[in-house]
Amino acid sequence: MPIRRFGGHRSLVSHSQTPKLSYGYTKMNISRSGYRVFSANSTTACTELAKKITERLGVELGKSVVYQESNSETRVDVKESVRGQDIFIIQTIPRDVNTAIMELLVMAYALKTSCANNIIGVIPYFPYSKQCKMRKRGSIVCKLLASMLAKAGLTHIITMDLHQKEIQGFFSFPVDNLRASPFLIQYIQEEIPDYRNAIIVAKSPSAAKRAQSYAERLRLGLAVMHGEAHHSESDMADGRHSPPLSRTTTGHTGLELPLMMAKEKPPITVVGDVGGRIAIIVDDIIDDVEDFVAAAEILKERGAYKIYIMATHGLLSAEAPRLIEESAIDEVVVTNTVPHEVQKLQCPKIKTVDVSMILAEAIRRIHNGESMAYLFRNIAVDD
C-alpha cells in the first residue's frame, strides 16, 4: 500500500484511492477510432462531390488548403491533427489531370508524415485508366500511377467502373471497384418514358458485355454495332507488333515468318432490330463524342426514334457539349464522378446521376471493418 506524506505526517492510501494520471490517453484512444474526410482539391467544382459524401456520413469535411504556387508547384496544408486516424482523401479529376494527380500524391504524403493510421484514396474516376496496355514503345502509365500512389502512402483505394477490371492487379494494396450501373439502371426505369420499348446498344463489339449486363437486368433486347466508323482500342497496335515489320535486316535472311494480314473493317452495321425503338447506348467513359454522334446517326437511319447515352464517367472534353447539342442524341446521362457543370451549362441534354450514396457507404463500411459484399450484391464477374 503506498504511503503519502501530508505536512510531515504519513497516511496510508489504498490503490483504489490513488489518483490516476491519464495524460490524455483516453482521449487519444477515442480519436484513433475516428476518421476524417479530406478533399484533395480546393476548387468549388471538385469539392462538390466531397461535400455530398460528408453530408451523408454526418461528418465535416477536413480542414486543409490545396493550392498552386506562382511557379506552379503544388502545396498542401493540413489544418488539423490526423494522428492515429483513418483518413479518406476524395479526389475528383478535373480537366487538368496531372495537377490533380500531384495534389493527391502530395496530400497523401503529408498525411503519412503526420502519422495517419490508414490513408484511403476515394478516386471515383481513376486517371490514365485507358493507358493500361503496352502500345509499341510506350509504357503502361496506369501501373506507374499505382506504384506512385503506394509510395506516397495510400493503403487502400475506392474507385468506380475501372476501364479494365484487370487494373486492380497493378496495386499492392486493396482496391474496391464499385459499380454505377444500379444508379443508371434506376434512371432508365424512372426517367425514360416507355423504357420497355427500348433496346440496349453496344457501339462496338468490345462494349457488348457491358450492354448485355444492362439488357439482362432490364429484360430488354440487345443490339451491337460494328464497322469502320468506330476504331476500337483493341484494334490499335500493341507491343506484339513491335518492332515494325518493315526494317532492314543485317542478320540471317533465310527465316520467313508468316505475315499477319492488316485488318479491314466492313461498312458500319447494326446487329439487331432498332426500328421503332428507343436506343440506349451504354459505355463506361464518354470523352470525345465523335463515335457516339456517328452511332446515333446510324441508329436514326435504322429507325430508332429516341437515342440515349448512358456512361459512368462524363469527361466530355473539347467540343463535346456542342457536338452533342447539334447531334441526333436526345440525352446524355452520366454520374458525378467527374465535375462537368460547365458542360451542362453549354448543353442542356447532359443529365447527372448522383453516386455519392454508394461512395459514402463504402467509406463507412471500410472504417467500421464491415464487409463490402453488400455493395457488390448481384454483381457478376463479367459486369
Side-chain angles (χ1 to χ4, degrees):
M1 184 173 296
I3 300 175
R4 179 176 297 175
R5 291 182 178 272
F6 293 98
H9 298 282
R10 296 189 301 173
S11 63
L12 300 180
V13 181
S14 66
H15 286 290
S16 61
Q17 295 174 335
T18 304
K20 298 180 180 179
L21 302 180
S22 64
Y23 295 101
Y25 293 146
T26 304
K27 185 176 182 180
M28 183 178 291
N29 290 335
I30 293 174
S31 65
R32 282 184 178 178
S33 65
Y35 68 97
R36 301 294 294 163
V37 180
F38 287 86
S39 174
N41 193 306
S42 298
T43 60
T44 304
C46 294
T47 56
E48 181 181 354
L49 179 60
K51 289 179 179 178
K52 288 184 177 180
I53 292 174
T54 52
E55 287 175 2
R56 291 184 179 276
L57 290 170
V59 300
E60 293 183 358
L61 193 62
K63 296 179 177 63
S64 64
V65 178
V66 183
Y67 60 96
Q68 311 300 316
E69 293 187 339
S70 58
N71 60 356
S72 299
E73 290 184 356
T74 299
R75 183 175 289 275
V76 173
D77 290 332
V78 180
K79 300 294 186 180
E80 58 184 285
S81 175
V82 296
R83 183 178 296 273
Q85 298 192 38
D86 292 337
I87 305 299
F88 294 85
I89 308 174
I90 301 173
Q91 178 65 311
T92 52
I93 307 298
R95 292 190 177 185
D96 192 351
V97 178
N98 296 327
T99 298
I101 291 172
M102 280 305 301
E103 290 170 345
L104 179 60
L105 291 172
V106 174
M107 173 164 276
Y109 192 69
L111 294 166
K112 176 183 178 181
T113 54
S114 298
C115 300
N117 185 28
N118 291 301
I119 304 172
I120 300 96
V122 183
I123 315 170
Y125 167 65
F126 194 80
Y128 286 98
S129 59
K130 284 189 174 182
Q131 297 191 44
C132 60
K133 299 179 182 179
M134 179 63 72
R135 305 296 183 196
K136 287 191 175 180
R137 297 174 185 84
S139 61
I140 306 176
V141 184
C142 193
K143 187 177 188 303
L144 171 64
L145 181 55
S147 301
M148 292 168 65
L149 292 172
K151 190 68 175 178
L154 264 68
T155 59
H156 197 138
I157 277 183
I158 303 170
T159 187
M160 182 167 282
D161 282 338
L162 287 170
H163 187 59
Q164 298 287 342
K165 292 187 291 294
E166 292 77 10
I167 290 174
Q168 296 175 78
F170 293 160
F171 293 88
S172 58
F173 49 76
V175 176
D176 286 309
N177 182 28
L178 304 176
R179 305 296 196 273
S181 52
F183 297 90
L184 296 175
I185 288 173
Q186 183 181 26
Y187 184 93
I188 293 173
Q189 294 173 324
E190 296 179 356
E191 302 296 333
I192 299 182
D194 196 22
Y195 82 91
R196 295 195 177 279
N197 188 36
I199 185 169
I200 304 298
V201 180
K203 68 178 180 66
S204 68
S206 62
K209 280 189 176 181
R210 182 184 301 272
Q212 181 182 359
S213 175
Y214 277 73
E216 290 176 351
R217 282 168 167 76
L218 290 166
R219 278 63 172 173
L220 299 176
L222 175 65
V224 180
M225 304 185 72
H226 174 62
E228 60 185 5
H230 178 78
H231 303 286
S232 174
E233 192 175 305
S234 60
D235 294 333
M236 298 171 61
D238 59 19
R240 292 172 294 179
H241 304 295
S242 178
L245 294 174
S246 58
R247 61 179 181 178
T248 303
T249 305
T250 58
H252 178 62
T253 58
L255 183 63
E256 295 185 3
L257 298 175
L259 180 65
M260 178 66 73
M261 296 180 62
K263 289 184 178 181
E264 183 177 344
K265 287 192 173 183
I268 192 166
T269 57
V270 180
V271 181
D273 183 17
V274 298
R277 300 280 191 90
I278 300 172
I280 303 176
I281 303 176
V282 298
D283 213 334
D284 62 329
I285 300 172
I286 177 168
D287 190 359
D288 297 323
V289 299
E290 286 85 355
D291 291 340
F292 291 94
V293 171
E297 292 175 356
I298 296 296
L299 292 171
K300 277 286 186 181
E301 293 174 3
R302 297 300 176 91
Y305 69 92
K306 273 192 175 182
I307 299 170
Y308 290 81
I309 310 292
M310 313 290 293
T312 302
H313 311 295
L315 304 185
L316 303 170
S317 301
E319 297 295 316
R322 180 183 61 81
L323 294 175
I324 292 171
E325 186 66 24
E326 297 173 356
S327 71
I329 299 171
D330 292 280
E331 200 167 279
V332 174
V333 183
V334 295
T335 71
N336 56 345
T337 56
V338 178
H340 54 266
E341 293 304 317
V342 175
Q343 292 89 328
K344 287 179 69 175
L345 294 175
Q346 297 172 349
C347 178
K349 291 183 179 180
I350 301 173
K351 308 296 180 183
T352 306
V353 175
D354 182 24
V355 293
S356 62
M357 179 188 300
I358 192 170
L359 294 171
E361 180 62 14
I363 290 173
R364 189 192 68 79
R365 285 176 175 269
I366 289 174
H367 170 66
N368 292 333
E370 299 178 19
S371 172
M372 296 287 284
Y374 177 77
L375 303 182
F376 295 95
R377 64 194 188 284
N378 299 327
I379 299 293
V381 175
D382 294 332
D383 288 341

